[in-house]
Amino acid sequence: MERERLQAIQILRGIAAMGVVVHHIFMTMRDHPGLVRAGYFPQLPGLANFGATGVDLFFIISGFIMADVVSRRTHAGAGRFLADRAIRILPMFWLASAVYIGWMLWRGASFPPGAYINSVLPVTWDADGGYRFPALYAGWTLAFELAFYALAAIIIAVRPTRPDRVLLLSLALLAIAGSFSAFHARAPIVFNPIMGEFALGLLVWMSWRDRWRWISRNSLTVGAMLLLLLIVTPWSITISVHPEGVVSGTASSSRLLFLGVPYALIVAGAVRCGEAYGRLPRFFERAGNASYSLYLVHPIVLEVARATLPDDARANPEMLAVALLIISIVVSLRVYVLIERPMLGTLKRLRTGIERTLDRRYRNDVICEPRA
């Protein structure tokens, strides 16, 4: 994938992560009104919760990137693909969860047993079929990401001629099946309309690769205008941005249609531009590189800030929101540079070393095997 296209994707990832952070800052001020002097500033119907839609943008970007990976990695094998994805996702999630749980327990909080279980592998369910949210609440999206990766791995193992088309069709079928309660009740993560957002990312990638005419710079403008229309109209209030609405399937279809489609247009327009960016977008690109750290670390920052500020701090809401956003970004950038990136490099080298050792043993076994 060209450097300019990847840069555009990273910028969008940074924007999506910061949107989620802003949403959680608003939630913190809403749930703890003593922290601010007055009601916080979002007055438009859909603005207060708009940052949470960064999750939808993340899913579409994930579909776009995995389409490129799957189309080039069918020869590498499903096992290596899953190992790469696990290394990328799980260690950082475990580390952030351990810090978050430790801090919350020290502050006197408690979690249900299921939260601890799902902080190890976020794909488990309650006995009644409901999804167990992890202790680090931002990790709820990883269940859908891991389900998407598992499906991609199956397709890599099958090795079809056009893996991108097979993956797109499979995701579309899962999204459609998730609209029926009989399927959704059996596996609410796998059979969920929100899986269609990954499919939209694949569709954008296929359109960009094949240079379909609808991909243009105007796509970004159209997508942004649709989102703006959603923000300024009361209609947006009817779209739930809470995780429960996605996991239960009650909000998945509306998010796919009213958020997924505009964001798909934005991604399409961004990768179509592919131009050099100025200093401000380069900041967003750096935030995009550290977006996973920002996504996982900011709840810790917010909890520490809430514990540090007195219950009746009565801070200026606008200044508090900006300060918490800046602190979250700065801390996450340092975590990315000092922890996430070195850890990923070490784990990848370890995986490569294990693969080479196993490969040498296999070849030695074949050479030493007695002939008939």
Side-chain angles (χ1 to χ4, degrees), residues 64-81:
F64 183 93
I65 294 175
M66 286 302 105
D68 187 69
V69 171
V70 169
S71 66
R72 294 183 291 105
R73 289 283 302 274
T74 52
H75 64 281
R80 177 177 292 184
F81 171 81

Side-chain angles (χ1 to χ4, degrees), residues 168-208:
L168 175 64
L169 178 61
S170 301
L171 287 167
L173 291 176
L174 290 178
I176 294 172
S179 302
F180 299 92
S181 58
F183 288 96
H184 185 268
R186 293 172 180 263
I189 301 300
V190 176
F191 294 108
N192 195 303
I194 207 68
M195 298 297 285
E197 292 189 337
F198 295 111
L200 287 175
L202 266 87
L203 184 61
V204 171
W205 180 85
M206 294 168 63
S207 305
W208 165 72

Side-chain angles (χ1 to χ4, degrees), residues 88-98 118-122 134-140 142 292 296 343:
R88 181 69 185 90
I89 295 296
L90 293 178
M92 192 62 198
F93 172 64
W94 291 335
L95 179 60
S97 295
N118 214 11
S119 296
V120 177
L121 191 62
L136 183 60
Y137 52 87
W140 71 271
L142 299 185
Y292 192 48
L296 294 178
M343 181 172 60

Side-chain angles (χ1 to χ4, degrees), residues 317-368:
E318 289 82 1
M319 292 183 63
L320 179 61
V322 172
L324 291 176
L325 176 61
I326 293 175
I327 294 172
S328 297
I329 293 173
V330 171
V331 172
S332 299
L333 287 173
R334 300 313 297 166
V335 169
Y336 171 72
V337 172
L338 298 177
I339 299 177
E340 181 185 354
R341 190 168 61 183
M343 181 172 60
L344 285 175
T346 301
L347 291 174
K348 287 181 179 179
R349 287 191 296 271
L350 179 62
R351 185 214 64 195
T352 301
I354 293 174
E355 288 179 348
R356 289 176 179 174
T357 300
L358 294 176
D359 185 58
R360 283 196 299 268
R361 290 183 178 179
Y362 171 77
R363 283 183 294 181
N364 291 335
D365 291 342
V366 172
I367 293 174
C368 296

Side-chain angles (χ1 to χ4, degrees), residues 72-305:
R72 294 183 291 105
R73 289 283 302 274
T74 52
H75 64 281
R80 177 177 292 184
F81 171 81
L82 285 177
D84 287 341
R85 292 296 91 200
I87 289 173
R88 181 69 185 90
I89 295 296
L90 293 178
M92 192 62 198
F93 172 64
W94 291 335
L95 179 60
S97 295
V99 174
Y100 182 84
I101 291 173
W103 173 262
M104 296 300 290
L105 291 178
W106 185 68
R107 294 290 301 171
S110 61
F111 299 98
Y116 294 104
I117 297 173
N118 214 11
S119 296
V120 177
L121 191 62
V123 292
T124 54
W125 291 268
D126 287 321
D128 59 357
Y131 174 67
R132 294 184 183 132
F133 286 90
L136 183 60
Y137 52 87
W140 71 271
T141 60
L142 299 185
F144 295 96
E145 290 279 357
L146 293 175
F148 174 44
Y149 298 155
L151 177 61
I154 293 173
I155 292 173
I156 290 175
V158 174
R159 302 192 180 197
T161 305
R162 292 294 302 270
D164 53 337
R165 293 184 179 180
V166 176
L167 184 56
L168 175 64
L169 178 61
S170 301
L171 287 167
L173 291 176
L174 290 178
I176 294 172
S179 302
F180 299 92
S181 58
F183 288 96
H184 185 268
R186 293 172 180 263
I189 301 300
V190 176
F191 294 108
N192 195 303
I194 207 68
M195 298 297 285
E197 292 189 337
F198 295 111
L200 287 175
L202 266 87
L203 184 61
V204 171
W205 180 85
M206 294 168 63
S207 305
W208 165 72
R209 180 201 58 191
D210 297 335
R211 299 184 182 277
W212 291 2
R213 292 183 177 180
W214 75 273
I215 293 289
S216 69
R217 298 181 183 183
N218 294 330
S219 300
L220 194 153
T221 303
V222 173
M225 291 180 63
L226 289 175
L227 288 178
L228 179 61
L229 181 64
L230 194 66
I231 293 174
V232 300
T233 58
W235 197 11
S236 61
I237 299 177
T238 63
I239 301 177
S240 174
V241 296
H242 297 292
E244 292 85 350
V246 177
V247 175
S248 65
T250 57
S252 299
S253 297
S254 58
R255 289 183 69 152
L256 172 63
L257 178 61
F258 297 113
L259 297 173
V261 172
Y263 274 130
L265 291 172
I266 289 175
V267 174
V271 298
R272 175 65 179 81
C273 292
E275 300 172 343
Y277 295 91
R279 292 184 178 180
L280 181 60
R282 288 188 184 280
F283 161 77
F284 287 108
E285 182 185 6
R286 287 193 289 270
N289 294 336
S291 60
Y292 192 48
S293 288
L294 179 57
Y295 186 73
L296 294 178
V297 169
H298 81 270
I300 303 172
V301 174
L302 295 184
E303 288 298 333
V304 171

